[in-house]
Amino acid sequence: MTRSHALALPLRLWESPDVSGWRRLPLHAVPRAGQSDRLDLDGRWRFQLLPGPDAEPDTHWSHLEVPGCWTMQDFDDLHGVGDLPQYTNYRMPWPEPPPHLPPVNPTGVHEREIHVPAHWAGRRIVLYVGAAESALIAHVNGEPVGAGKDAHLASEFDVTGAVRTGQSNTVRLTVVKWSDATYVEDQDHWWHGGITRSVFLYATDPLYLADLRVTADLAEGGTGRLRVEADPRHTGGLLPAGWYVSGQLEGLDEPLTREAVPPHESSPWQGRATLTATVPEVRPWSAETPELYELTVRLHHPDGTVADQAGCRVGFRTVEIRGRDLLVNGERVFIRGVNRHDFHPLTGRVLDEADLRADLTVIKRFGFNAVRTSHYPNDPALLDLADELGLYVVDEADIESHGHYDEIAHEPGYRAAFLERVARMASRDKNHPSVVIWSLGNESGYGPNHDAAAGWLRRYDPTRPLQYEGALGADWSRPGTATDVICPMYTPIDTIVAHATSGEQTKPLILCEYSHAMGNSNGSLADYWTAIESTPGLQGGFVWEFWDHGILQRVADGPGSGRPAGPGTTGGYAAGVTAPGYRWAYGGDFGDDPHDGTFCADGLVLPDRTPKPAMYEHREIAAPVRLRRLDSGDVLITNHQHFRDLTWLTGEWRLETPDAAAGLAPAQLPHLGPGESATLPVPAELLARLPEAADGEAWLTLRVRTAADQVWAPRGTEVCVPQVRLRREARGLLARATAREERSAAPVCVDDQGFLVHPRLAAPPVLSLWRAPTDNDRLGRAADRWAEQGLPSAARSLTDIKRDGERVVVRAEYLTAVGPVLHEQVLTALAAGVLLVEETAVIPEGLDDLPRVGTVFTAAAGLDRAEWFGHGPGETYPDRYAGGAVGHYGAPVRELFTPYVRPQESGGRHGVRWFSLTADDDDGLTVHLDTPRQVQLTHFTAADLAAARHHDELTPRPCVTVHLDAAHRGLGTASCGPDTLPAYLAGPGTYRWAWTLRGGEVHA
């Protein structure tokens, strides 16, 4: 026994992997957070941070907010521990094997006084600690009352015998940061320490509800079936004779029916009551139609008075696997999921209900219908919100031993931890309709500990399938007892299609992780979904992940520089960009070692929840309304939902052409049930805007919005923007640029190196072969190859200048490590001040994977207002442009830039036909392209972006750098997963492209 007052326990819990808790109550599904007899203990606590669990606290205290991570807060570090956030992907923060711990083990002692009401005398009193990272020891009035591990589930302790009612009481919560449990909590996020969810006391009658199980499913004919199992207990042990349970469901006039309970399910000590009901014409729950019914269950004393009661919201739905299909309410549904960690840039892992609602609201608005709680059970409030908003949940146990991948799953000492973590998760979350699949954890190898947990879970809850990626490994066809779903991660498209078409698939295939969203990423997301929607046996997946885990860090000189900004900071960021004096921190920025750098910045939203461009890509891929142009000229509109009609949506038609403002017309969406289609004519008033003789391209866009308020979006929220092409572009470059082919009398001006001299350009157009590496480029090693090939600094050598009147031909070579790249520019002056530029580049065989082939120049200073016709309004790239409809857009150039956590290639626009750069008092320049091209307009050069690690190192240049790319490499997901597909690579060969430059007027 240790002598430490803080940790006076009969065992060293933090070094005992076979012990998950001491005097900890079983986890249950009875909601206690909202009951009346409750004392909220959140707020300011006395605090000391000790260097280890054997250290004694002294008499001097600092203060800390609870819930709160001590790694994220400022306090008087009286013992000089200096514990700050640390990021590793899967490496443990110390080298010793399990269950050994490092010599310095930050230990936080939290203490406060509470007054327990006198009327609680004679009642059962429970201390609830929502979550603590990682080992928790609780004392009341100096007496140890319990301990527990599992950093993401609550610990409850019966403190009745330790509390003095009507008096002040001292509660002490000691949290040991590193424990044997840390080895199975080795998830890919920041390491913190502290109490991360709410703390409270609650009181019940000695006769109380210990657990509640609700099963609500569907029968034939649209009838709902409800079964409620209530488990009463008594603090004295024996239940009083004559107790009973009653229940009421919203919408039913009669109370629930009491059913007889088999003798083996109930005893004088462990009671069981069963209530049932049949609900005719029930409104089923699904992610599209999250219909909920309020249920109230009461436990009565023999005299009929209410001893305890609980309420929850019930959703009637079924989940089953039939063959290769996961069915919800009998329908095969696509799982459009996202992985989500608990994260906040100011608090670390501490989130309130408003934060959780904001997360899930954004997720819903961008077309997702499912969340995987990677890689631990989330706060119960998140599941309440998923029930309400409509999201399918893969509920994942707090098990990841990535740093010791194949060891711990076979280690008998950790068997109890595996089983306990799975069992406690299911015991807490079993009544949520949103939970459709249980997960045994993540990246922990596969061993008998998994099978033990799976066996328990199948017996406890046969109503849901379970999954675990490691149970099948690479052999997806073999039987597996620990997973009902093939749930691989980062598998290439051709591999999943090959399995689905092999004849060997026996389970649904739903990717547990795919499309790694690190930096400028998510290339080929649309290609994944083209395959999924067209291949039986493929049913979806979960994008990795929702959050960029950038912690707001103070970098301005002065007190606290280098530390997290912390809770309560205001004005530190907006629209994804940090304010002066701050930056988004990633691994290594707090002096943490070891660390894994920017790998934590791998989400679909920036650290302040600003959506990245890939979110719009997913929104269009998941669109509930689809359009297709028919040979007749009409448009086929399809409801792509599983359960809902289109009455919740409204629309507006837009006609988009390169040469005129958009035409608008109201859209009357047809009444279509799920999966139904209808044929619509193109609105006559829009067709009238297209002259019959014209041969320019035209696009018909349907802007779809919510017709009324939804629980996740107000009326008028844009849902999707499907688009069809009405007419292809048949005009040539010069016709579109409104230039006559006659040559101008004014000669083209070039200097003695063949560089164009033009009043609208600050730097001439030259060949560009390189981009600022994306995170995928860096971690996929493409950036290293490009550096070895000399692409960032390929030197230009003039070969020849030939003049032919107003026409100049300039030939040059760009020297690389594998040979020269030949480049030719043909510059021709045309009428009305138009310059035609025709370019050719010959790429040698050794350059088989280039980031880009194209032109770069710098516009004159002050021209920083952009307009263009092409994909937009947001950033798009060759393998990620479904989220940008073709249209006419405009914005200041600074707003085209995407502030990824680490600066990199960004802000491109795909399929641009023309663009202009202007100023308020200057018509600027207009460029037309021979065919839709990738264009980038930015105040940063590629070298600027590549040299910076954070945005506070960047200074915008006064002139706009312009890239016109004949070819641009796709983004892919090579930071963790497949690189871009071969169709999006730029390799050796001859490239030709042409463009016109007009100065002095704005495009009509």
Side-chain angles (χ1 to χ4, degrees):
M1 178 189 296
T2 177
R3 295 181 57 197
S4 168
H5 170 74
L7 306 173
L9 295 176
L11 77 162
R12 295 171 67 82
L13 181 83
W14 57 94
E15 296 177 342
S16 305
D18 55 338
V19 179
S20 295
W22 176 71
R23 294 182 62 181
R24 183 166 63 178
L25 297 174
L27 210 49
H28 55 85
V30 180
R32 296 296 186 186
Q35 71 175 60
S36 56
D37 279 351
R38 178 179 178 274
L39 285 179
D40 184 0
L41 303 186
D42 291 351
R44 188 173 172 86
W45 288 55
R46 295 189 294 274
F47 181 72
Q48 291 188 42
L49 186 62
L50 307 179
D54 292 322
E56 287 282 354
D58 59 27
T59 58
H60 301 284
W61 293 86
S62 183
H63 291 87
L64 198 77
E65 288 296 313
V66 173
C69 301
W70 67 65
T71 45
M72 296 293 292
Q73 299 190 52
D74 290 332
F75 59 90
D76 292 331
D77 190 3
L78 303 170
H79 300 274
V81 179
D83 192 31
L84 291 173
Q86 179 176 5
Y87 169 66
T88 62
N89 172 17
Y90 64 85
R91 291 185 289 174
M92 292 295 294
W94 61 87
E96 291 80 13
H100 299 286
L101 303 178
V104 176
N105 189 356
T107 299
V109 182
H110 310 70
E111 191 174 277
R112 66 167 293 171
E113 309 302 317
I114 59 170
H115 181 83
V116 177
H119 71 266
W120 281 18
R123 296 175 68 76
R124 169 179 170 263
I125 302 174
V126 177
L127 172 63
Y128 175 99
V129 182
E133 188 172 338
S134 71
L136 168 72
I137 299 95
H139 291 75
V140 174
N141 296 325
E143 177 184 342
V145 295
K149 289 178 287 193
D150 191 334
H152 301 283
L153 281 174
S155 290
E156 295 190 19
F157 310 106
D158 188 330
V159 298
T160 308
V163 166
R164 299 188 291 262
T165 57
Q167 302 180 45
S168 179
N169 296 262
T170 301
V171 176
R172 175 177 286 189
L173 301 176
T174 302
V175 178
V176 185
K177 180 174 181 177
W178 306 125
S179 75
D180 56 83
T182 307
Y183 287 96
V184 293
E185 295 174 349
D186 183 19
Q187 290 103 354
D188 174 14
H189 59 172
W190 291 94
W191 295 103
H192 289 293
I195 298 168
T196 55
R197 295 179 189 161
S198 287
V199 181
F200 57 86
L201 283 178
Y202 69 88
T204 73
D205 190 273
L207 177 64
Y208 63 95
L209 289 168
D211 201 3
L212 193 66
R213 175 179 291 217
V214 178
T215 305
D217 61 13
L218 302 171
E220 296 291 336
T223 298
R225 297 181 301 196
L226 178 67
R227 181 181 179 86
V228 179
E229 295 172 310
D231 293 346
R233 298 289 186 272
H234 196 280
T235 56
L238 285 173
L239 293 163
W243 65 267
Y244 65 96
V245 172
S246 67
Q248 188 73 47
L249 183 71
E250 174 192 359
L252 293 183
D253 296 331
E254 300 298 323
L256 305 185
T257 302
R258 296 184 213 168
E259 298 267 327
V261 177
H264 69 275
E265 293 186 10
S266 185
S267 75
W269 296 273
Q270 297 183 341
R272 168 67 57 83
T274 300
L275 306 174
T276 62
T278 299
V279 184
E281 299 181 350
V282 73
R283 304 185 307 275
W285 186 97
S286 71
E288 295 172 12
T289 58
E291 299 284 356
L292 297 171
Y293 293 76
E294 292 289 340
L295 170 68
T296 303
V297 177
R298 297 182 177 88
L299 171 61
H300 298 265
H301 290 290
D303 63 3
T305 58
V306 175
D308 198 5
Q309 79 172 38
C312 68
R313 295 182 296 182
V314 175
F316 290 85
R317 60 105 181 96
T318 60
V319 179
E320 62 178 314
I321 288 178
R322 192 180 302 162
R324 301 191 299 171
D325 297 328
L326 174 71
L327 307 181
V328 175
N329 301 339
E331 294 289 330
R332 180 180 188 268
V333 297
F334 286 120
I335 300 299
R336 304 181 186 276
V338 64
N339 286 275
R340 180 197 164 277
H341 270 297
D342 283 343
F343 173 77
H344 193 285
L346 301 181
T347 63
R349 259 192 279 290
V350 178
L351 305 171
D352 59 21
E353 193 270 349
D355 295 322
L356 297 172
R357 182 178 291 275
D359 284 2
L360 298 194
T361 295
V362 170
I363 287 170
K364 283 285 289 188
R365 289 183 184 179
F366 284 88
F368 294 96
N369 67 359
V371 169
R372 178 178 175 228
T373 67
S374 51
H375 301 292
Y376 40 80
N378 288 181
D379 191 295
L382 182 131
L383 296 182
D384 290 337
L385 289 165
D387 295 341
E388 173 192 336
L389 302 178
L391 285 162
Y392 303 120
V393 174
V394 173
D395 203 0
E396 189 149 278
D398 190 8
I399 300 172
E400 180 170 344
S401 58
H402 202 158
H404 295 271
Y405 190 80
D406 289 313
E407 303 165 33
I408 293 180
H410 296 271
E411 172 55 51
Y414 278 93
R415 184 189 307 125
F418 275 60
L419 178 56
E420 185 79 354
R421 287 162 183 263
V422 169
R424 297 180 77 241
M425 170 187 69
S427 298
R428 188 195 73 169
D429 297 341
K430 56 183 173 284
N431 294 338
H432 288 278
S434 56
V435 176
V436 296
I437 296 175
W438 300 117
S439 169
L440 301 181
N442 186 65
E443 292 180 316
S444 302
Y446 177 50
N449 293 346
H450 288 106
D451 288 332
W456 184 93
L457 189 54
R458 291 191 188 283
R459 176 68 176 83
Y460 182 75
D461 181 22
T463 70
R464 293 178 176 93
L466 60 90
Q467 73 172 49
Y468 178 61
E469 178 262 343
L472 294 179
D475 185 3
W476 300 346
S477 300
R478 68 182 175 90
T481 60
T483 188
D484 300 313
V485 179
I486 303 167
C487 49
M489 52 178 65
Y490 308 113
T491 311
I493 297 170
D494 56 358
T495 302
I496 61 174
V497 171
H499 183 69
T501 57
S502 68
E504 299 179 355
Q505 184 181 356
T506 59
K507 297 177 172 69
L509 197 158
I510 302 171
L511 294 148
C512 71
E513 296 175 20
Y514 80 113
S515 195
H516 195 254
M518 186 177 181
N520 191 359
S521 188
N522 303 97
S524 292
L525 184 60
D527 297 292
Y528 265 100
W529 275 95
T530 297
I532 290 167
E533 293 186 359
S534 62
T535 309
L538 304 183
Q539 210 163 336
F542 294 83
V543 172
W544 186 267
E545 62 161 309
F546 183 63
W547 277 108
D548 269 357
H549 296 232
I551 292 175
L552 189 68
Q553 182 183 33
R554 290 173 283 200
V555 293
D557 293 338
S561 181
R563 293 184 57 84
T569 300
T570 59
Y573 51 78
V577 178
T578 59
Y582 297 96
R583 70 180 182 186
W584 298 127
Y586 48 78
D589 285 339
F590 295 108
D592 42 317
D593 183 48
H595 69 83
D596 285 307
T598 57
F599 206 68
C600 59
D602 54 1
L604 289 164
V605 298
L606 295 166
D608 65 347
R609 208 180 287 110
T610 297
K612 290 184 184 178
M615 287 285 271
Y616 294 90
E617 184 83 353
H618 185 272
R619 190 189 71 174
E620 293 310 311
I621 291 167
V625 178
R626 310 286 178 91
L627 299 180
R628 181 163 63 87
R629 183 79 188 283
L630 300 175
D631 292 341
S632 64
D634 293 331
V635 175
L636 185 73
I637 182 171
T638 300
N639 177 0
H640 218 259
Q641 300 173 106
H642 299 294
F643 301 105
R644 201 174 189 187
D645 62 27
L646 297 185
T647 55
W648 65 286
L649 299 171
T650 187
E652 178 186 63
W653 294 111
R654 295 173 61 90
L655 178 69
E656 304 277 5
T657 61
D659 306 314
L664 305 179
Q668 183 66 44
L669 299 183
H671 191 283
L672 296 176
E676 294 181 346
S677 300
T679 300
L680 300 177
V682 177
E685 58 266 47
L686 296 184
L687 286 176
R689 297 172 64 96
L690 290 175
E692 291 185 11
D695 50 9
E697 66 181 311
W699 295 79
L700 182 66
T701 306
L702 179 62
R703 295 196 173 273
V704 180
R705 296 181 171 89
T706 54
D709 289 345
Q710 307 294 306
V711 290
W712 48 270
R715 178 186 177 189
T717 298
E718 190 170 85
V719 174
C720 58
V721 190
Q723 184 178 63
V724 292
R725 181 162 46 195
L726 297 181
R727 192 167 63 194
R728 292 183 177 274
E729 181 61 70
R731 299 171 296 172
L733 171 60
L734 298 185
R736 287 185 287 110
T738 63
R740 297 189 301 274
E741 292 192 22
E742 299 86 26
R743 297 185 181 182
S744 167
V748 175
C749 183
V750 298
D751 64 16
D752 59 0
Q753 289 298 308
F755 291 131
L756 175 68
V757 177
H758 193 283
R760 294 303 186 199
L761 303 185
V766 295
L767 181 67
S768 176
L769 301 173
W770 185 67
R771 70 186 182 195
T774 65
D775 289 321
N776 289 328
D777 296 339
R778 289 189 305 106
L779 296 182
R781 304 301 180 193
D784 292 341
R785 294 195 304 272
W786 300 336
E788 292 167 1
Q789 292 165 348
L791 299 186
S793 56
R796 178 181 181 271
S797 175
L798 179 66
T799 302
D800 187 31
I801 301 175
K802 288 186 178 180
R803 298 181 182 274
D804 177 15
E806 305 86 32
R807 185 172 180 266
V808 177
V809 179
V810 180
R811 295 186 179 93
E813 292 182 349
Y814 289 76
L815 303 180
T816 75
V818 297
V821 174
L822 307 183
H823 179 234
E824 179 183 272
Q825 279 185 339
V826 180
L827 309 171
T828 305
L830 302 176
V834 175
L835 177 71
L836 171 64
V837 183
E838 298 167 287
E839 305 196 57
T840 303
V842 181
I843 309 297
E845 288 296 323
L847 298 177
D848 58 355
D849 181 8
L850 290 167
R852 64 172 17 123
V853 179
T855 305
V856 61
F857 64 81
T858 305
L863 303 181
D864 52 12
R865 169 75 190 179
E867 290 188 47
W868 75 96
F869 189 82
H871 289 278
E875 174 191 277
T876 49
Y877 280 84
D879 60 351
R880 199 196 68 212
Y881 64 88
V886 175
H888 186 162
Y889 302 102
V893 169
R894 68 178 183 278
E895 295 180 6
L896 305 186
F897 179 72
T898 303
Y900 294 109
V901 168
R902 176 167 180 154
Q904 56 196 276
E905 163 71 30
S906 72
R909 298 302 189 272
H910 183 65
V912 174
R913 282 71 165 167
W914 64 261
F915 68 88
S916 64
L917 288 169
T918 61
D920 290 341
D921 57 352
D922 192 331
D923 290 342
L925 63 84
T926 300
V927 170
H928 279 79
L929 298 145
D930 56 342
T931 192
R933 301 285 188 185
Q934 184 77 18
V935 170
Q936 182 190 35
L937 309 173
T938 174
H939 282 290
F940 307 104
T941 68
D944 294 338
L945 297 171
R949 295 181 66 250
H950 296 86
H951 283 274
D952 61 331
E953 301 166 18
L954 288 173
T955 300
R957 292 176 180 262
C959 298
V960 172
T961 297
V962 178
H963 280 276
L964 319 175
D965 292 332
H968 194 103
R969 190 185 197 273
L971 300 170
T973 58
S975 57
C976 188
D979 202 344
T980 193
L981 295 175
Y984 306 116
L985 291 175
T990 300
Y991 293 82
R992 294 183 175 87
W993 66 103
W995 48 284
T996 62
L997 173 64
R998 177 193 294 272
E1001 64 183 271
V1002 178
H1003 190 280

